[in-house]
Amino acid sequence: MKFMRILPIKSLILIILLIIAARTFLINYKPIVNYILSLNPQHKKTENKLIFEIEELSDYDKSKLIETNSWNPKCPVGIEDLQALKITFKNFKGQTEYGRLIVNRKVAGTFLETFKALYEIEFPLQSVKPIYEFDGDDKKSMEANNTNAFHCRPVTYSKNILSKHSYGNTLDINPIQNPYIRRGITLPEKGKEYKDRNKIKYGMVEPIIDLMKKIGFKTWAGEWDSPTDYMHFEYEE
């Protein structure tokens, strides 16, 4: 009884030639195959570089601050008293992103260490951009869930009292998860689902309050009666 059928010589030769051809293709065209695969993000291996740097304001920064009225000569700090921070942060998906914000040069080093600490514990931030990226509009910045520092402006619902942000030593962190509440008004409006502070949700600041106070942010406006401003941390030397 025959267990296998012997292939015709021509078929056997054809199979051998195909194997040789396939091997030759893989050897000679492997770089091309690898290049094609590299175009697919799923095949890319990226290394996220950590960036925590302090730099002087560029001419662009200055012009945009003035253009959007985020700074003017009547502000309590001069434009030369400000510096920019380049920072690395984790977003709400746990991915590494990069941000930039403007602060008073007196606290630049401390603020940089603050963002390093937040990155190390993987506290999520959605956006970290200078206020001029939102046309100097605090409402737009809050609606974008933007973490911000310097912004020369009056306090919310006031025309004469300057906000502490005007000094560049204050942080607003994740405004949607940590809204401003006053007389039934919630800003930003999306923050309404985070009014119950007994149910801690991702991005709410309660888990970092002790850390922030230890660094030097002695004032947390989430402890105020009215308004209650959960996003707001003031640094005090």
Side-chain angles (χ1 to χ4, degrees):
M1 181 177 180
K2 295 183 179 180
F3 290 92
M4 60 182 298
R5 204 175 200 180
I6 299 176
L7 291 172
I9 296 297
K10 290 184 179 180
S11 298
L12 187 59
I13 292 173
L14 180 60
I15 292 172
I16 293 172
L17 290 174
L18 288 173
I19 291 173
I20 294 172
R23 184 173 180 275
T24 302
F25 176 83
L26 290 174
I27 291 172
N28 294 333
Y29 295 92
K30 186 176 180 181
I32 297 175
V33 173
N34 288 340
Y35 173 73
I36 294 172
L37 290 175
S38 72
L39 299 178
N40 186 340
Q42 293 181 350
H43 291 273
K44 288 184 178 181
K45 293 182 179 179
T46 58
E47 293 183 4
N48 293 314
K49 180 181 178 182
L50 299 186
I51 299 176
F52 293 98
E53 298 175 355
I54 301 173
E55 59 185 18
E56 297 299 326
L57 297 191
S58 65
D59 290 339
Y60 177 81
D61 289 323
K62 294 175 183 178
S63 65
K64 292 299 291 185
L65 284 170
I66 295 170
E67 178 187 321
T68 60
N69 198 34
S70 301
W71 179 89
N72 63 71
K74 294 182 180 180
C75 292
V77 293
I79 201 164
E80 299 301 331
D81 296 324
L82 302 172
Q83 287 182 309
L85 303 184
K86 294 171 69 176
I87 64 111
T88 307
F89 65 94
K90 291 286 187 179
N91 63 21
F92 279 74
K93 294 181 180 179
Q95 300 167 330
T96 297
E97 289 195 32
Y98 303 99
R100 195 166 182 273
L101 73 168
I102 295 172
V103 303
N104 190 311
R105 69 169 59 245
K106 291 181 179 179
V107 300
T110 301
F111 276 40
L112 196 69
E113 292 303 315
T114 301
F115 282 99
K116 284 183 182 179
L118 294 179
Y119 181 84
E120 287 173 2
I121 64 174
E122 298 189 355
F123 180 81
L125 301 171
Q126 184 161 334
S127 168
V128 183
K129 296 178 181 179
I131 192 63
Y132 63 66
E133 296 285 356
F134 302 92
D135 302 318
D137 189 324
D138 190 49
K139 183 179 178 181
K140 288 182 180 179
S141 179
M142 287 193 294
E143 289 174 346
N145 208 20
N146 184 58
T147 294
N148 184 49
F150 174 77
H151 185 191
C152 187
R153 62 174 176 81
V155 299
T156 304
Y157 296 117
S158 172
K159 293 183 179 179
N160 303 314
I161 303 173
L162 278 180
S163 165
K164 293 292 184 180
H165 286 279
S166 303
Y167 297 86
N169 63 351
T170 300
L171 277 177
D172 280 351
I173 298 176
N174 289 342
I176 290 178
Q177 287 76 26
N178 305 285
Y180 170 100
I181 300 172
R182 178 177 181 265
R183 297 178 183 177
I185 297 174
T186 301
L187 300 175
E189 191 171 344
K190 290 180 181 179
K192 287 181 178 179
E193 65 177 282
Y194 296 93
K195 289 174 68 174
D196 183 356
R197 308 308 286 189
N198 293 314
K199 298 179 180 179
I200 303 300
K201 299 179 181 179
Y202 205 45
M204 291 168 66
V205 297
E206 276 77 356
I208 65 169
I209 292 171
D210 290 342
L211 170 64
M212 298 295 285
K213 288 187 175 181
K214 185 177 180 181
I215 290 172
F217 292 87
K218 304 300 183 183
T219 299
W220 175 49
E223 296 173 328
W224 295 351
D225 290 330
S226 182
T228 305
D229 195 355
Y230 293 108
M231 71 185 83
H232 185 93
F233 289 87
E234 295 177 14
Y235 179 77
E236 300 171 29
E237 296 183 87

